[in-house]
Amino acid sequence: MQQYHIRLWDLPTRLFHWLLTTLVAGAFLTGLTGGSWIVWHGRLGLLILGLLTFRLVWGLVGSTYARFSQFVPDPRTLLNYLRGGWQGIGHNPLGALSVLVLLGILLLQTLSGLFANDDIAFNGPLQDLVTKRTSDWLTGLHRQAIWVIGALITLHVAAVLFHTHVHKDDLITPMVTGIKPVTAPGARGATGGGWLALITALAVAILVIWIAAGGLLPPPPPIAPVPTW
């Protein structure tokens, strides 16, 4: 069967994927190490939130196979895939669900971190917006969710390796080069996701980071001068 190559993943989607991988790994290391590294943990969390925001917007205005409308499956499509009858380009239905779950829990994790505290020296940038009791509850969720995220990432990597080496469907190379060899007749390369879409997604991501970092909060009161007598 004749094989040809199509543009599958655009550059912003690929950069998002590898940047998110790097930042989540860094967040794990700094969070588990604690101490003075917890400040960097908070900074990485803000960057991850910005990346996730970018991906949500890019899922609406990005190129063909990056859009949620293209890969989010309905029950019939998912059932057809489980029966072995699905043929398509990009995320398969089960893979699409795993991506959505992982994005969702990472989003909840970053949001909970905004209100968390470590009872020592670190408070999330929006911690003052909630009560201490709520902050402690969100802190507990934040700490427990890391093991769920770790398990989901492990499953994700295992599934990618399984498809690549057992099903002989290379999922790694296209996420590096953006190009995928296909044999399906009529398969078309990705279109859309131009400069205006990219600028829009970046602008929304930067705005969310600024708000999450406390950009809308009133400045702290000035420190009273220390008497000299």
Coordinates of all heavy atoms in Angstrom, one line a residue, residues 94-148:
L94 N -9.3 6.5 22.5 CA -8.9 6.2 23.9 C -7.8 7.1 24.3 O -7.7 7.6 25.5 CB -8.5 4.8 24.0 CG -8.4 4.2 25.5 CD1 -9.8 4.3 26.1 CD2 -8.0 2.7 25.4
G95 N -6.8 7.4 23.4 CA -5.7 8.3 23.7 C -6.2 9.7 23.9 O -5.7 10.4 24.8
A96 N -7.3 10.1 23.2 CA -7.8 11.4 23.4 C -8.4 11.6 24.8 O -8.2 12.6 25.4 CB -8.9 11.7 22.3
L97 N -9.1 10.6 25.2 CA -9.6 10.6 26.6 C -8.5 10.7 27.6 O -8.7 11.5 28.6 CB -10.5 9.4 26.9 CG -11.9 9.3 26.2 CD1 -12.6 8.0 26.6 CD2 -12.7 10.5 26.5
S98 N -7.5 10.0 27.4 CA -6.4 10.1 28.4 C -5.7 11.4 28.4 O -5.3 11.9 29.5 CB -5.3 9.0 28.1 OG -4.6 9.3 26.9
V99 N -5.6 12.0 27.2 CA -5.1 13.4 27.1 C -6.0 14.4 27.9 O -5.5 15.2 28.7 CB -4.9 13.8 25.7 CG1 -4.6 15.3 25.6 CG2 -3.8 13.0 25.0
L100 N -7.3 14.3 27.7 CA -8.2 15.2 28.4 C -8.1 15.0 29.9 O -8.2 16.0 30.6 CB -9.6 14.9 27.9 CG -9.9 15.3 26.4 CD1 -11.3 14.9 26.0 CD2 -9.6 16.8 26.2
V101 N -8.1 13.8 30.4 CA -8.0 13.5 31.8 C -6.7 14.1 32.4 O -6.7 14.7 33.4 CB -8.1 12.0 32.1 CG1 -7.7 11.7 33.5 CG2 -9.4 11.5 31.8
L102 N -5.6 13.9 31.7 CA -4.3 14.4 32.1 C -4.3 15.9 32.2 O -3.8 16.5 33.1 CB -3.2 13.9 31.3 CG -1.7 14.0 31.8 CD1 -1.6 13.5 33.2 CD2 -0.8 13.4 30.8
L103 N -4.8 16.6 31.1 CA -4.9 18.0 31.1 C -5.8 18.5 32.2 O -5.5 19.5 32.9 CB -5.4 18.5 29.7 CG -4.5 18.3 28.5 CD1 -5.2 18.8 27.3 CD2 -3.2 19.1 28.7
G104 N -6.9 17.8 32.4 CA -7.8 18.3 33.5 C -7.2 18.2 34.9 O -7.4 19.1 35.7
I105 N -6.6 17.1 35.2 CA -6.0 17.0 36.6 C -4.8 17.9 36.8 O -4.6 18.4 37.9 CB -5.6 15.5 36.9 CG1 -5.4 15.3 38.4 CG2 -4.4 15.0 36.1 CD1 -5.3 13.9 38.8
L106 N -4.0 18.1 35.7 CA -2.9 19.1 35.8 C -3.5 20.5 36.0 O -2.9 21.3 36.8 CB -2.1 19.1 34.6 CG -1.1 17.9 34.4 CD1 -0.4 17.9 33.1 CD2 -0.1 17.9 35.5
L107 N -4.6 20.8 35.4 CA -5.2 22.1 35.6 C -5.7 22.3 37.0 O -5.5 23.3 37.7 CB -6.4 22.3 34.6 CG -7.1 23.7 34.6 CD1 -6.1 24.8 34.2 CD2 -8.3 23.7 33.6
L108 N -6.4 21.2 37.5 CA -6.8 21.3 38.9 C -5.7 21.4 39.9 O -5.8 22.1 40.9 CB -7.7 20.0 39.2 CG -9.0 20.0 38.5 CD1 -9.7 18.6 38.8 CD2 -10.0 21.1 38.9
Q109 N -4.6 20.7 39.6 CA -3.4 20.7 40.4 C -2.8 22.1 40.5 O -2.4 22.6 41.6 CB -2.4 19.7 39.9 CG -1.1 19.6 40.8 CD -1.3 18.9 42.1 OE1 -2.5 18.8 42.6 NE2 -0.3 18.4 42.7
T110 N -2.7 22.8 39.3 CA -2.1 24.1 39.3 C -3.0 25.1 40.0 O -2.6 26.0 40.7 CB -1.8 24.6 37.9 OG1 -3.0 24.5 37.1 CG2 -0.7 23.7 37.3
L111 N -4.3 25.0 39.8 CA -5.3 25.9 40.5 C -5.3 25.7 42.0 O -5.3 26.7 42.7 CB -6.7 25.7 39.9 CG -6.9 26.1 38.5 CD1 -8.3 25.7 38.0 CD2 -6.7 27.6 38.3
S112 N -5.2 24.5 42.5 CA -5.1 24.3 43.9 C -3.9 24.8 44.5 O -3.9 25.3 45.6 CB -5.3 22.8 44.2 OG -4.1 22.0 43.8
G113 N -2.8 24.8 43.7 CA -1.5 25.3 44.2 C -1.5 26.8 44.4 O -0.8 27.3 45.3
L114 N -2.4 27.5 43.7 CA -2.5 29.0 43.9 C -3.0 29.3 45.3 O -2.7 30.5 45.8 CB -3.5 29.5 42.9 CG -3.1 29.4 41.4 CD1 -4.2 30.0 40.5 CD2 -1.7 30.0 41.1
F115 N -3.7 28.4 46.0 CA -4.3 28.7 47.3 C -3.6 27.9 48.4 O -4.1 28.0 49.5 CB -5.8 28.4 47.2 CG -6.5 29.1 46.1 CD1 -6.7 28.5 44.9 CD2 -7.0 30.4 46.3 CE1 -7.4 29.2 43.9 CE2 -7.7 31.1 45.3 CZ -7.9 30.5 44.1
A116 N -2.6 27.2 48.1 CA -1.9 26.3 49.0 C -1.0 27.0 49.9 O -0.6 28.2 49.7 CB -1.2 25.2 48.3
N117 N -0.5 26.3 51.0 CA 0.5 26.9 51.9 C 1.3 25.7 52.4 O 0.8 24.5 52.4 CB -0.2 27.6 53.0 CG -0.9 26.7 54.0 OD1 -0.3 26.2 54.9 ND2 -2.2 26.5 53.7
D118 N 2.5 26.0 53.0 CA 3.3 24.9 53.6 C 3.4 25.1 55.1 O 4.3 24.4 55.7 CB 4.7 24.8 52.9 CG 5.5 26.0 53.1 OD1 5.1 27.0 53.8 OD2 6.7 26.0 52.8
D119 N 2.7 26.0 55.6 CA 2.7 26.3 57.1 C 4.1 26.8 57.6 O 4.3 26.7 58.8 CB 2.3 25.1 57.9 CG 0.8 24.9 58.0 OD1 0.1 26.0 58.0 OD2 0.3 23.8 58.0
I120 N 5.0 27.1 56.7 CA 6.3 27.6 57.1 C 6.6 29.0 56.5 O 6.5 30.0 57.2 CB 7.4 26.6 56.7 CG1 7.1 25.2 57.3 CG2 8.8 27.1 57.1 CD1 8.1 24.1 56.8
A121 N 6.9 29.0 55.2 CA 7.3 30.2 54.6 C 6.7 30.5 53.3 O 6.8 31.6 52.7 CB 8.9 30.3 54.4
F122 N 6.0 29.5 52.7 CA 5.4 29.7 51.4 C 3.9 29.7 51.4 O 3.3 28.8 52.0 CB 5.9 28.5 50.4 CG 5.3 28.6 49.0 CD1 5.9 29.5 48.1 CD2 4.2 27.9 48.7 CE1 5.3 29.6 46.8 CE2 3.7 28.0 47.4 CZ 4.2 28.8 46.5
N123 N 3.3 30.6 50.7 CA 1.9 30.7 50.4 C 1.7 30.9 49.0 O 2.4 31.6 48.3 CB 1.2 31.8 51.2 CG 1.3 31.6 52.7 OD1 1.1 30.5 53.2 ND2 1.5 32.7 53.4
G124 N 0.6 30.2 48.4 CA 0.3 30.4 47.0 C -0.1 31.9 46.8 O -0.5 32.6 47.7
P125 N 0.1 32.4 45.6 CA -0.2 33.8 45.3 C -1.6 34.2 45.6 O -1.8 35.4 45.8 CB 0.2 33.9 43.9 CG 0.2 32.5 43.3 CD 0.5 31.6 44.4
L126 N -2.6 33.3 45.6 CA -4.0 33.7 45.9 C -4.5 33.1 47.2 O -5.7 33.1 47.4 CB -4.9 33.2 44.7 CG -4.5 33.7 43.3 CD1 -5.5 33.2 42.3 CD2 -4.4 35.2 43.3
Q127 N -3.6 32.7 48.1 CA -3.9 32.1 49.3 C -4.8 33.0 50.2 O -5.7 32.5 50.9 CB -2.7 31.6 50.1 CG -2.9 30.8 51.3 CD -2.9 31.5 52.6 OE1 -2.4 32.7 52.6 NE2 -3.4 30.9 53.6
D128 N -4.5 34.3 50.1 CA -5.3 35.2 51.0 C -6.8 35.4 50.6 O -7.6 35.9 51.3 CB -4.6 36.6 50.9 CG -3.3 36.7 51.7 OD1 -3.1 35.8 52.5 OD2 -2.5 37.6 51.4
L129 N -7.1 34.8 49.4 CA -8.5 34.9 49.0 C -9.4 33.9 49.6 O -10.6 34.0 49.5 CB -8.6 34.8 47.4 CG -7.9 35.9 46.6 CD1 -8.0 35.6 45.1 CD2 -8.5 37.3 46.9
V130 N -8.8 32.9 50.3 CA -9.6 31.9 50.9 C -9.3 31.8 52.4 O -8.3 32.4 52.9 CB -9.4 30.5 50.3 CG1 -9.8 30.5 48.8 CG2 -7.9 30.1 50.4
T131 N -10.1 31.1 53.2 CA -9.8 30.9 54.6 C -8.6 29.9 54.8 O -8.3 29.2 53.9 CB -11.0 30.4 55.3 OG1 -11.3 29.0 54.8 CG2 -12.2 31.3 55.1
K132 N -8.0 30.0 56.0 CA -6.9 29.1 56.3 C -7.4 27.6 56.2 O -6.7 26.7 55.7 CB -6.4 29.4 57.7 CG -5.2 28.5 58.1 CD -4.0 28.7 57.2 CE -2.7 28.1 57.8 NZ -2.8 26.6 58.0
R133 N -8.6 27.4 56.6 CA -9.1 26.0 56.5 C -9.3 25.5 55.1 O -8.9 24.4 54.8 CB -10.5 25.9 57.2 CG -11.1 24.6 57.3 CD -12.4 24.6 58.0 NE -13.0 23.2 58.1 CZ -14.2 23.0 58.7 NH1 -14.9 23.9 59.3 NH2 -14.7 21.7 58.7
T134 N -9.8 26.4 54.2 CA -9.9 26.0 52.8 C -8.5 25.9 52.2 O -8.3 24.9 51.4 CB -10.6 27.1 52.0 OG1 -12.0 27.2 52.6 CG2 -10.7 26.8 50.5
S135 N -7.6 26.7 52.5 CA -6.2 26.6 52.0 C -5.6 25.3 52.4 O -4.9 24.6 51.6 CB -5.4 27.8 52.5 OG -4.0 27.7 52.1
D136 N -5.7 24.9 53.7 CA -5.2 23.6 54.2 C -5.8 22.4 53.4 O -5.1 21.5 53.1 CB -5.4 23.5 55.7 CG -4.6 24.4 56.5 OD1 -3.6 24.9 56.0 OD2 -4.9 24.6 57.7
W137 N -7.1 22.5 53.2 CA -7.8 21.4 52.4 C -7.2 21.3 51.0 O -7.0 20.2 50.5 CB -9.3 21.7 52.4 CG -10.1 20.7 51.6 CD1 -10.3 19.4 51.9 CD2 -10.7 21.0 50.4 NE1 -11.0 18.8 50.9 CE2 -11.3 19.7 50.0 CE3 -10.9 22.1 49.6 CZ2 -12.1 19.6 48.8 CZ3 -11.6 22.0 48.4 CH2 -12.2 20.8 48.0
L138 N -7.1 22.5 50.3 CA -6.5 22.5 49.0 C -5.1 22.0 49.0 O -4.6 21.4 48.1 CB -6.7 23.9 48.4 CG -8.1 24.3 48.0 CD1 -8.1 25.8 47.6 CD2 -8.7 23.5 46.9
T139 N -4.4 22.4 50.0 CA -3.0 21.9 50.1 C -2.9 20.4 50.2 O -2.1 19.7 49.6 CB -2.3 22.5 51.4 OG1 -2.3 24.0 51.3 CG2 -0.8 22.1 51.5
G140 N -3.8 19.8 51.0 CA -3.9 18.3 51.1 C -4.2 17.7 49.8 O -3.5 16.7 49.4
L141 N -5.1 18.3 49.1 CA -5.5 17.7 47.7 C -4.3 17.9 46.8 O -4.0 16.9 46.0 CB -6.7 18.5 47.1 CG -8.0 18.2 47.8 CD1 -9.1 19.1 47.0 CD2 -8.4 16.7 47.7
H142 N -3.6 19.0 46.9 CA -2.4 19.2 46.0 C -1.3 18.2 46.3 O -0.7 17.7 45.3 CB -1.9 20.7 46.3 CG -0.9 21.1 45.3 ND1 -1.2 21.7 44.1 CD2 0.5 21.2 45.4 CE1 -0.1 22.0 43.5 NE2 0.9 21.7 44.2
R143 N -1.1 17.9 47.5 CA -0.1 16.9 47.8 C -0.5 15.5 47.4 O 0.4 14.7 47.0 CB 0.2 16.9 49.3 CG 1.0 18.2 49.7 CD 1.1 18.3 51.2 NE 1.8 19.5 51.7 CZ 1.9 20.0 52.9 NH1 1.2 19.4 53.8 NH2 2.6 21.0 53.2
Q144 N -1.7 15.1 47.6 CA -2.2 13.8 47.3 C -2.2 13.5 45.7 O -2.0 12.4 45.2 CB -3.5 13.5 47.9 CG -3.5 13.5 49.4 CD -4.9 13.5 50.0 OE1 -5.9 13.3 49.3 NE2 -5.0 13.8 51.3
A145 N -2.6 14.6 45.0 CA -2.8 14.5 43.6 C -1.5 14.2 42.8 O -1.6 13.7 41.7 CB -3.4 15.7 43.0
I146 N -0.3 14.5 43.4 CA 0.9 14.2 42.7 C 1.1 12.7 42.3 O 1.6 12.4 41.3 CB 2.1 14.7 43.4 CG1 2.3 14.0 44.8 CG2 2.1 16.2 43.6 CD1 3.6 14.3 45.5
W147 N 0.5 11.8 43.2 CA 0.7 10.4 42.9 C -0.3 10.0 41.8 O 0.0 9.1 41.0 CB 0.4 9.6 44.2 CG 1.3 10.1 45.3 CD1 0.9 10.7 46.5 CD2 2.7 10.1 45.4 NE1 2.0 11.1 47.2 CE2 3.1 10.7 46.6 CE3 3.7 9.6 44.5 CZ2 4.4 10.9 47.0 CZ3 5.1 9.8 44.9 CH2 5.4 10.4 46.1
V148 N -1.4 10.6 41.8 CA -2.4 10.3 40.7 C -1.8 10.8 39.3 O -1.8 10.1 38.3 CB -3.7 11.0 40.9 CG1 -4.7 10.8 39.8 CG2 -4.3 10.5 42.2

